[in-house]
Amino acid sequence: MTTTVPQTAEMTPQNPPDVDILFDAATVRDRVAALGQQIGSQIGGEDPILVGLLEGSLIFLSDLVRAIPIPVRFELIQVHSGVDSGVVRIEYPIPVDIAGQSIVVVKDVVSSGVTEPYLAQQLRDHGARQVRFAALVDLPDDRKTDFRPDYAAFSTPRQGVLVGYGLKHGGRYGNLPGIGRVRGSE
């Protein structure tokens, strides 16, 4: 996992003036590629299904599945959670049978660690043999449980509202190729 301080290089020629770069595009690309290699080497014989959580994981999932050097399947689901209550509602159920399958849940950000164990149990209750989690960004200082993702491209303290690489704020900035922080959101 990589922890980085804000960089001065621009994310794009049109870098928004209200976004500070935490991880530039090249760093994100390299970390996702390395994570794909790591996942592929660790789960190579398991015929895994990657399950991306809509909508923040879309870009991460897209690049991650192409970086994994073995055949993988992938699906998308929508999950809503009450952080304090721990209630998880799966809006779009997985459209394939997961009984006996190895699942890697792909998330944009892991923060409190409340939703993940509940979701893992739901997947196991539907027959998943193994459930792992891959996060684009892990925020371990925000943890309310002892949950830790199995894979994380970046681990960092919370540095405000994260944007870029699929992470949006007010519907904006998700298309930035790196990961940044909205200025003034510390």
Side-chain angles (χ1 to χ4, degrees):
M1 289 184 271
T2 302
T3 301
T4 300
V5 295
Q7 300 176 9
T8 57
E10 293 184 7
M11 274 190 202
T12 68
Q14 300 82 26
N15 189 34
D18 56 344
V19 174
D20 292 322
I21 298 165
L22 300 175
F23 308 104
D24 66 15
T27 301
V28 172
R29 182 185 58 244
D30 292 348
R31 279 297 303 139
V32 172
L35 197 61
Q37 291 294 316
Q38 179 187 0
I39 291 171
S41 70
Q42 290 180 357
I43 63 173
E46 298 180 18
D47 188 27
I49 301 173
L50 276 69
V51 176
L53 301 189
L54 289 172
E55 64 192 51
S57 74
L58 268 176
I59 294 173
F60 177 41
L61 174 67
S62 175
D63 288 344
L64 184 63
V65 297
R66 290 181 292 194
I68 296 174
I70 60 169
V72 295
R73 296 175 286 163
F74 62 93
E75 299 293 338
L76 297 165
I77 62 173
Q78 179 79 39
V79 174
H80 298 283
S81 64
V83 174
D84 294 328
S85 67
V87 175
V88 175
R89 185 180 85 227
I90 300 175
E91 182 123 344
Y92 300 106
I94 299 173
V96 296
D97 183 9
I98 62 170
Q101 300 298 310
S102 178
I103 306 292
V104 178
V105 177
V106 180
K107 289 196 71 181
D108 53 356
V109 177
V110 170
S111 56
S112 71
V114 171
T115 302
E116 294 81 6
Y118 188 86
L119 178 57
Q121 187 59 53
Q122 292 295 308
L123 293 168
R124 283 191 294 273
D125 288 349
H126 284 88
R129 178 174 45 83
Q130 174 88 358
V131 179
R132 296 179 181 98
F133 285 82
L136 175 61
V137 180
D138 182 26
L139 302 172
D141 294 347
D142 289 4
R143 229 37 120 245
K144 294 181 180 181
T145 69
D146 61 356
F147 175 82
R148 294 182 57 165
D150 301 278
Y151 310 101
F154 301 98
S155 182
T156 185
R158 180 168 294 279
Q159 299 180 44
V161 176
L162 298 176
V163 293
Y165 203 70
L167 305 173
K168 298 186 292 186
H169 177 62
R172 300 174 61 213
Y173 307 127
N175 65 321
L176 297 173
I179 299 171
R181 173 192 50 170
V182 176
R183 192 169 291 135
S185 67
E186 297 82 34

